Coordinates of all heavy atoms in Angstrom, one line a residue:
M1127 N -99.2 112.6 362.0 CA -98.2 111.5 362.3 C -98.3 111.0 363.7 O -98.2 109.8 363.9 CB -96.8 112.1 362.2 CG -96.4 112.4 360.7 SD -94.8 113.1 360.5 CE -93.8 111.9 361.1
E1128 N -98.7 111.8 364.7 CA -99.0 111.3 366.0 C -100.2 110.4 366.1 O -100.2 109.4 366.8 CB -99.2 112.5 367.0 CG -97.9 113.2 367.3 CD -98.2 114.5 368.1 OE1 -99.4 114.8 368.4 OE2 -97.2 115.2 368.5
E1129 N -101.2 110.7 365.3 CA -102.3 109.8 365.2 C -102.0 108.5 364.5 O -102.5 107.4 365.0 CB -103.5 110.5 364.4 CG -104.7 109.7 364.4 CD -105.8 110.4 363.6 OE1 -106.1 111.5 364.0 OE2 -106.4 109.8 362.7
D1130 N -101.1 108.5 363.6 CA -100.6 107.2 362.9 C -99.8 106.4 363.9 O -99.9 105.2 363.9 CB -99.8 107.5 361.7 CG -100.6 108.1 360.5 OD1 -101.9 107.9 360.6 OD2 -100.0 108.6 359.6
D1131 N -99.1 107.0 364.8 CA -98.3 106.2 365.8 C -99.3 105.5 366.8 O -98.9 104.5 367.4 CB -97.4 107.2 366.6 CG -96.2 107.6 365.7 OD1 -96.0 107.0 364.7 OD2 -95.6 108.6 366.0
D1132 N -100.4 106.1 367.0 CA -101.4 105.5 368.0 C -102.2 104.4 367.4 O -102.8 103.6 368.2 CB -102.4 106.6 368.5 CG -101.7 107.7 369.2 OD1 -100.6 107.5 369.7 OD2 -102.3 108.8 369.3
L1133 N -102.2 104.2 366.1 CA -102.9 103.1 365.5 C -102.3 101.7 365.9 O -101.1 101.6 366.0 CB -102.9 103.2 364.0 CG -103.7 104.4 363.4 CD1 -103.5 104.4 361.9 CD2 -105.2 104.3 363.8
P1134 N -103.1 100.7 366.0 CA -102.5 99.4 366.4 C -101.8 98.8 365.2 O -102.1 99.0 364.1 CB -103.8 98.5 366.7 CG -104.9 99.2 366.0 CD -104.6 100.7 366.0
L1135 N -100.7 98.0 365.6 CA -99.9 97.4 364.6 C -100.6 96.2 364.0 O -101.2 95.5 364.7 CB -98.5 97.0 365.2 CG -97.7 98.2 365.8 CD1 -96.5 97.6 366.4 CD2 -97.4 99.1 364.7
R1136 N -100.4 96.0 362.7 CA -101.1 94.9 362.0 C -100.3 93.6 362.0 O -100.8 92.6 361.6 CB -101.6 95.3 360.7 CG -102.5 96.5 360.7 CD -103.1 96.8 359.4 NE -104.0 97.8 359.5 CZ -104.5 98.5 358.5 NH1 -104.1 98.2 357.3 NH2 -105.4 99.5 358.6
G1137 N -99.0 93.7 362.2 CA -98.2 92.5 362.2 C -97.6 92.1 360.9 O -97.1 91.0 360.8
Y1138 N -97.7 92.9 359.9 CA -97.1 92.6 358.6 C -95.6 92.8 358.7 O -95.1 93.9 358.4 CB -97.7 93.5 357.5 CG -99.2 93.2 357.3 CD1 -100.1 94.2 357.6 CD2 -99.6 92.0 356.7 CE1 -101.4 93.9 357.4 CE2 -100.9 91.8 356.5 CZ -101.8 92.7 356.8 OH -103.2 92.5 356.6
G1139 N -94.9 91.8 359.0 CA -93.4 91.9 359.0 C -92.9 92.6 360.2 O -91.7 93.0 360.2
R1140 N -93.7 92.9 361.2 CA -93.2 93.6 362.4 C -93.0 92.7 363.6 O -93.7 91.7 363.7 CB -94.2 94.7 362.8 CG -94.5 95.7 361.7 CD -95.5 96.7 362.2 NE -95.9 97.6 361.2 CZ -95.4 98.8 361.0 NH1 -94.5 99.3 361.9 NH2 -95.8 99.6 360.1
D1141 N -92.0 93.0 364.4 CA -91.8 92.2 365.6 C -92.6 92.7 366.7 O -93.4 93.7 366.5 CB -90.3 92.1 365.9 CG -89.7 93.4 366.2 OD1 -90.4 94.4 366.2 OD2 -88.5 93.5 366.5
R1142 N -92.3 92.3 367.9 CA -93.1 92.7 369.1 C -92.9 94.2 369.4 O -93.8 94.8 370.0 CB -92.8 91.8 370.3 CG -93.4 90.5 370.3 CD -93.1 89.7 371.5 NE -92.2 88.7 371.1 CZ -91.2 88.2 371.8 NH1 -91.0 88.6 373.0 NH2 -90.4 87.3 371.3
N1143 N -91.8 94.7 369.1 CA -91.5 96.1 369.4 C -92.0 97.1 368.4 O -91.8 98.3 368.6 CB -90.0 96.3 369.6 CG -89.4 95.5 370.7 OD1 -90.1 95.2 371.7 ND2 -88.1 95.1 370.6
G1144 N -92.6 96.6 367.3 CA -93.1 97.4 366.3 C -92.2 97.8 365.2 O -92.5 98.6 364.3
R1145 N -91.0 97.2 365.2 CA -90.0 97.4 364.1 C -90.4 96.6 362.9 O -90.8 95.5 363.0 CB -88.6 97.1 364.6 CG -88.1 98.0 365.7 CD -86.7 97.8 366.0 NE -86.6 96.3 366.3 CZ -85.7 95.8 367.1 NH1 -84.9 96.5 367.8 NH2 -85.7 94.5 367.3

Side-chain angles (χ1 to χ4, degrees):
M1127 290 178 65
E1128 287 173 356
E1129 186 178 303
D1130 288 345
D1131 289 341
D1132 295 341
L1133 292 176
L1135 300 176
R1136 297 187 179 166
Y1138 294 110
R1140 298 179 186 263
D1141 63 359
R1142 281 182 255 148
N1143 297 332
R1145 293 184 308 214

